[in-house]
């Protein structure tokens, strides 16, 4: 695609292997990106798996309050996982060719290199369409959804990064949500000059009540899956001084819920741990506003939109010192970091927040509110508009 004036609308095709109604960071980013681009006057199309096997075709859908065309591709449920659906790789190119013939996009923005993104990168490159790629996937994380033995898993990871490189080399620009994620990608592939671009959010969508809380409510938001290590949070809760009367609300759902409910019962915490299951955006924001501290023990975050949402809600954060979380949580400033998997250290960090004097607690709140401003969605949209047009990124 040749450069176009900044005022000219762009026809953008966003390729996603996970999208609404899925609930995960990659899907949420793609939804906010697409909606933000529509608000700026661009012609946005999305290629994504079907909601059901027979739900195939182009549909006008409302995403994040904006109307756009979503091209649903026939997909099948992956039964070891609670919601994951996949498009048959050998059929993806067939569908993608049809979509490209219909849409004729100026630019393709793929959100992964797995199936739909791979097909779009291959067919788009053949047609000379500019390709921008964002990587949300580590092969290591995909292993949680497989039943492979350990030796096969190691081979899969090596092959996964090699395969990612083969797809990403077709892109004119590659982004990841954080600098650490970009470094990780560059270490494992031959790609260089990977650009960190925050997933972004609009802080004004969240309500922050500055000041100490009457109740010591801990909150976690995210998929209830292995890599989130929610069991570490539950074990840390059991270590807290009973006089703190701390509770934990787990906002989200996933394949580990039954195992975690069993752990809660074994530790005698049934009255102090609440599983909400899937909730609306309004309910999610309410849980964040009402909490005293946000806690996340995940070891696989390439950014963590949930942590940014908690920061926008004015919460101190206690997070594992793993992957991209230290980019959001500055130890001793807007919260504390703890050694991943160490529930004793997590309990100590939570105690510091819950027993902080009012002035110190409010200081951490203000630090979160200040830090999240760097992740404003308009900065993200500005950057991607420049990448789509092939103009220098500010």
């Amino acid at each position: 695609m040749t450069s176009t004036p900044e005022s000219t609308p762009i026809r953008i095709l966003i390729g996603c292997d996970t999208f609404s109604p899925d609930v995960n960071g990659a899907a949420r980013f793609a939804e906010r990106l697409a909606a933000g681009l529509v608000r700026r006057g661009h012609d946005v199309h999305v290629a994504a798996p079907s909601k059901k096997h027979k739900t195939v075709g182009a549909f006008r859908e409302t995403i994040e309050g904006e109307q756009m065309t979503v091209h649903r591709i026939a997909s099948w449920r992956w039964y070891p996982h609670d919601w994951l659906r996949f498009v048959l790789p050998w059929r993806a190119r067939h569908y993608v060719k049809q979509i490209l013939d219909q849409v004729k996009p100026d630019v393709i923005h793929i959100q992964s290199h797995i199936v739909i993104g791979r097909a779009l990168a291959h067919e788009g490159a053949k047609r000379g369409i500019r390709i921008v790629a964002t990587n949300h996937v580590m092969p290591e994380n995909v292993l949680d959804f497989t039943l492979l033995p350990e030796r096969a898993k190691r081979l899969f990871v090596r092959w996964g990064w090699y395969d990612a490189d083969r797809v990403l080399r077709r892109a004119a620009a590659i982004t990841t949500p954080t600098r650490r994620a970009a470094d990780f990608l560059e270490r494992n592939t031959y790609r260089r000059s990977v650009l960190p671009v925050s997933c972004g959010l609009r802080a004004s969508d969240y309500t922050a009540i500055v000041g100490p809380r009457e109740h010591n409510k801990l909150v976690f938001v995210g998929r209830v899956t292995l890599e989130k290590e929610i069991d570490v949070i539950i074990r840390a809760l059991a270590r807290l001084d009973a006089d703190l009367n701390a509770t934990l609300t787990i906002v989200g759902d996933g394949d580990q819920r039954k195992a975690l409910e069993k752990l809660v019962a074994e530790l005698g915490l049934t009255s102090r741990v609440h599983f909400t299951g899937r909730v609306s955006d309004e309910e999610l924001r309410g849980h964040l506003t009402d909490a005293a501290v946000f806690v996340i023990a995940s070891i696989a975050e390439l950014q963590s939109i949930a942590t940014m949402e908690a920061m926008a809600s004015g919460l101190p954060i206690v997070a594992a010192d793993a992957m991209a979380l230290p980019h959001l949580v500055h130890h001793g400033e807007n919260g504390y970091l703890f050694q991943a998997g160490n529930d004793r250290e997590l309990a100590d960090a939570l105690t510091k927040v819950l027993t902080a004097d009012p002035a110190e607690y409010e200081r951490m709140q203000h630090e979160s509110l200040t830090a999240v401003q760097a992740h404003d969605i308009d900065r993200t949209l500005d950057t991607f508009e420049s990448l789509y047009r092939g103009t220098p990124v500010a």
Side-chain angles (χ1 to χ4, degrees):
M1 183 185 77
T2 57
S3 296
T4 56
E6 290 187 8
S7 60
T8 305
I10 311 169
R11 181 170 294 169
I12 306 157
L13 176 58
I14 301 175
C16 309
D17 281 301
T18 178
F19 193 68
S20 176
D22 299 345
V23 179
N24 60 70
R28 291 296 297 277
F29 165 69
E31 291 157 19
R32 288 177 176 173
L33 174 69
L37 292 167
V38 170
R39 291 187 193 104
R40 291 189 172 202
H42 299 297
D43 183 10
V44 178
H45 295 253
V46 178
S50 60
K51 299 176 183 179
K52 296 181 180 179
H53 175 55
K54 294 183 179 180
T55 310
V56 180
F59 303 90
R60 292 296 288 175
E61 297 186 22
T62 301
I63 304 295
E64 294 279 319
E66 300 294 338
Q67 282 271 311
M68 65 191 69
T69 302
V70 182
H71 302 262
R72 294 289 180 177
I73 301 175
S75 70
W76 280 258
R77 167 83 183 277
W78 178 253
Y79 283 100
H81 189 259
D82 61 319
W83 53 259
L84 185 66
R85 301 186 66 83
F86 66 95
V87 175
L88 296 175
W90 52 89
R91 294 291 290 162
R93 284 192 190 177
H94 166 74
Y95 290 113
V96 159
K97 287 177 183 178
Q98 292 181 339
I99 294 170
L100 290 175
D101 287 341
Q102 178 183 347
V103 177
K104 295 180 172 59
D106 297 313
V107 63
I108 296 169
H109 186 175
I110 64 172
Q111 303 300 306
S112 80
H113 57 269
I114 298 176
V115 179
I116 294 177
R118 169 194 300 281
L120 281 171
H122 185 272
E123 294 299 325
K126 284 169 58 177
R127 299 174 188 223
I129 302 171
R130 182 175 178 83
I131 298 168
V132 173
T134 295
N135 184 57
H136 297 280
V137 179
M138 293 191 301
E140 291 86 343
N141 291 353
V142 178
L143 293 176
D144 285 341
F145 310 143
T146 72
L147 304 175
L148 297 174
E150 285 303 316
R151 186 169 181 275
K153 286 182 178 181
R154 291 193 294 272
L155 292 172
F156 175 86
V157 167
R158 289 205 302 270
W159 173 83
W161 283 117
Y162 168 77
D163 188 58
D165 189 71
R166 292 176 60 200
V167 176
L168 295 176
R169 70 186 180 188
R170 301 180 186 277
I174 303 170
T175 77
T176 61
T178 63
R179 180 69 263 167
R180 182 170 291 193
D183 292 342
F184 197 79
L185 179 60
E186 290 179 351
R187 281 199 307 271
N188 287 281
T189 69
Y190 290 103
R191 299 310 98 204
R192 298 296 179 265
S193 301
V194 177
L195 183 66
V197 183
S198 175
C199 291
L201 83 169
R202 199 170 302 283
S204 59
D205 290 343
Y206 301 84
T207 301
I209 300 176
V210 177
R213 302 295 193 257
E214 292 183 5
H215 306 289
N216 286 333
K217 174 182 171 180
L218 318 179
V219 65
F220 163 83
V221 174
R223 291 178 295 115
V224 183
T225 52
L226 277 174
E227 77 272 11
K228 300 298 184 180
E229 300 215 346
I230 301 169
D231 62 303
V232 176
I233 304 175
I234 293 170
R235 295 181 193 281
L237 177 67
R239 290 184 178 276
L240 295 180
D241 190 324
D243 290 340
L244 291 173
N245 294 317
T247 63
L248 170 63
T249 299
I250 298 170
V251 182
D253 214 344
D255 57 88
Q256 293 300 300
R257 179 166 173 173
K258 288 185 178 179
L260 293 174
E261 288 175 333
K262 181 180 178 182
L263 175 63
V264 167
E266 290 173 352
L267 295 175
L269 299 173
T270 303
S271 64
R272 296 170 58 193
V273 179
H274 175 50
F275 292 84
T276 69
R278 292 181 64 162
V279 299
S280 66
D281 287 346
E282 183 178 359
E283 290 171 321
L284 182 152
R285 290 191 289 267
H287 282 295
L288 290 173
T289 299
D290 187 49
V293 58
F294 179 82
V295 57
I296 180 168
S298 175
I299 57 173
E301 298 298 323
L302 292 184
Q303 182 161 47
S304 181
I305 291 175
T307 300
M308 292 194 296
E309 290 175 327
M311 292 165 65
S313 303
L315 293 183
I317 313 295
V318 178
D321 188 2
M323 284 303 293
L325 292 175
H327 286 272
L328 297 174
V329 184
H330 303 143
H331 191 74
E333 296 180 18
N334 66 324
Y336 298 97
L337 296 168
F338 67 94
Q339 182 184 23
N342 191 328
D343 56 272
R344 185 183 297 276
E345 193 172 312
L346 170 54
D348 290 343
L350 289 170
T351 299
K352 287 181 182 179
V353 176
L354 297 176
T355 60
D357 63 57
E360 173 64 8
Y361 183 82
E362 289 186 22
R363 184 193 65 76
M364 287 188 284
Q365 288 185 291
H366 284 296
E367 290 288 349
S368 278
L369 291 169
T370 299
V372 80
Q373 295 304 316
H375 301 279
D376 183 79
I377 188 66
D378 285 321
R379 294 188 185 186
T380 298
L381 293 170
D382 289 343
T383 299
F384 280 113
E385 282 182 326
S386 295
L387 294 175
Y388 297 158
R389 298 181 192 277
T391 58
V393 175

